[in-house]
Amino acid sequence: MHEADQHDAWSAGRSYDEYMGRWSGAVAGAFLEWLDLPAGLDWLDVGCGTGALSAAVIERCAPDSLIGIDPSDGFVRHAAGIVTDPRARFEVGTAEHLPAAGDTVDVVTSALAYNFVPDRIAALREFRRVTRPGGTVSFYVWDYPGGGVGFIDAFWKAAAALDAAAGGLDEAVRFPFCTAGSLEDEVESAGYSDVEVVALEVPTRFADFEAFWHPFTLGAGPAPGYLASLSTDAGERLRRLLRDQLGGGVVELTARAWAVRAPA
Ligand SMILES: C[S@@+](CC[C@H](N)C(=O)[O-])C[C@H]1O[C@@H](n2cnc3c(N)ncnc32)[C@H](O)[C@@H]1O
């Protein structure tokens, strides 16, 4: 595991949902509206996590079937407990070695996971392998380099002000390819054409500073994993700095994702 990956704690479903799953769910609706795909398709949700996008597909897209895959056994079990529709099933697996035969789904999709896949080009090739001719490959990732995820950006900027080592853990530094241009180039380099990339933005509102801070204390995800690695004193210094910067009242920020689609 690389130095920067060690805080990517993906396992505790409820903690993850409070930190990130709810915002992914908020983007999912806009994303599926943009994809605008017909009913009756077979879907594969790669890096499904706790099932934010899977649940939205079941709710909005009238699929024939949906398979969610994720390397985290804890997330897969959590998703299966939440998305109980009989058309959906969840399995442990990775994007680079999808547990699906060739030409068996109509839509490969993925939410906020593509950037965490160690071999993204291998994943893009797998997406195409399992998708039937005429199908769609799609995903969304946060706009980390553009500072597009306000609450994560605020966290890492404050963390780096107190701890130089935190600078290298910031997703903006780890995932510089999460820009519209780089994503388009990368997907094309895996052999796709007619790649489309659009920005999708959702409001992220926290009732007060504690509502903003609490999800970071739950341990699920890179920033919460980093916070968990700090001493109590260092964590408290970070909390106070953010509290000074954001104030104690309502914290209103936005989160911007890049949505990508291409014919398989
Ligand atoms: C930020 S979470 C997104 C989860 C969910 N899709 C959502 O939108 O809430 C990132 C997910 O990527 C998964 N992941 C990490 N490496 C992966 C890989 N090689 N293949 C597929 N998924 C991976 C993690 O287990 C985690 O569930």
Side-chain angles (χ1 to χ4, degrees):
M1 186 177 280
H2 294 118
E3 170 81 28
D5 301 340
Q6 66 183 328
H7 303 299
D8 291 355
W10 304 124
S11 59
R14 211 174 321 147
S15 303
Y16 171 80
D17 279 346
E18 197 167 338
Y19 172 62
M20 184 60 76
R22 58 180 162 154
W23 307 124
S24 184
V27 177
F31 174 66
L32 293 174
E33 215 166 281
W34 174 65
L35 287 183
D36 192 24
L37 292 168
L41 301 180
D42 296 314
W43 291 68
L44 177 66
D45 179 8
V46 180
C48 63
T50 52
L53 178 57
S54 297
V57 169
I58 291 288
E59 209 170 286
R60 291 163 170 265
C61 302
D64 236 28
S65 71
L66 177 136
I67 307 169
I69 70 112
D70 198 282
S72 162
D73 182 50
F75 275 6
V76 164
R77 277 187 279 115
H78 186 92
I82 302 275
V83 187
T84 55
D85 187 285
R87 290 167 296 175
R89 69 185 160 87
F90 295 89
E91 285 179 29
V92 171
T94 68
E96 301 98 318
H97 303 284
L98 291 172
D103 294 352
T104 50
V105 300
D106 300 300
V107 191
V108 169
T109 198
S110 180
L112 308 181
Y114 176 77
N115 53 292
F116 291 104
V117 174
D119 189 343
R120 299 188 301 280
I121 298 299
L124 289 166
R125 294 199 175 118
E126 273 291 88
F127 294 176
R128 163 173 291 140
R129 179 185 68 78
V130 302
T131 308
R132 295 184 183 114
T136 301
V137 167
S138 62
F139 62 88
Y140 57 88
V141 293
W142 289 132
D143 173 16
Y144 297 112
V149 195
F151 67 97
I152 293 180
D153 196 51
F155 178 95
W156 286 123
K157 285 205 168 103
L162 298 173
D163 170 14
L169 303 175
D170 184 341
E171 285 103 323
V173 175
R174 290 174 60 195
F175 307 130
F177 52 86
C178 288
T179 64
S182 295
L183 290 166
E184 186 175 342
D185 289 349
E186 192 162 289
V187 174
E188 281 176 357
S189 77
Y192 293 80
S193 47
D194 298 327
V195 181
E196 290 174 66
V197 184
V198 298
L200 301 174
E201 196 161 293
V202 293
T204 54
R205 183 182 191 279
F206 304 89
D208 55 23
F209 178 76
E210 283 313 315
F212 166 88
W213 177 250
H214 181 67
F216 288 109
T217 67
L218 300 176
Y226 167 75
L227 180 62
S229 75
L230 297 179
S231 68
T232 309
D233 282 355
E236 180 53 22
R237 275 196 295 280
L238 178 53
R239 192 188 79 83
R240 279 213 216 106
L241 177 57
L242 276 161
R243 168 79 172 66
D244 290 347
Q245 290 173 345
L246 297 170
V250 176
V251 179
E252 297 207 66
L253 299 165
T254 56
R256 182 172 52 252
W258 294 116
V260 182
R261 67 180 288 169

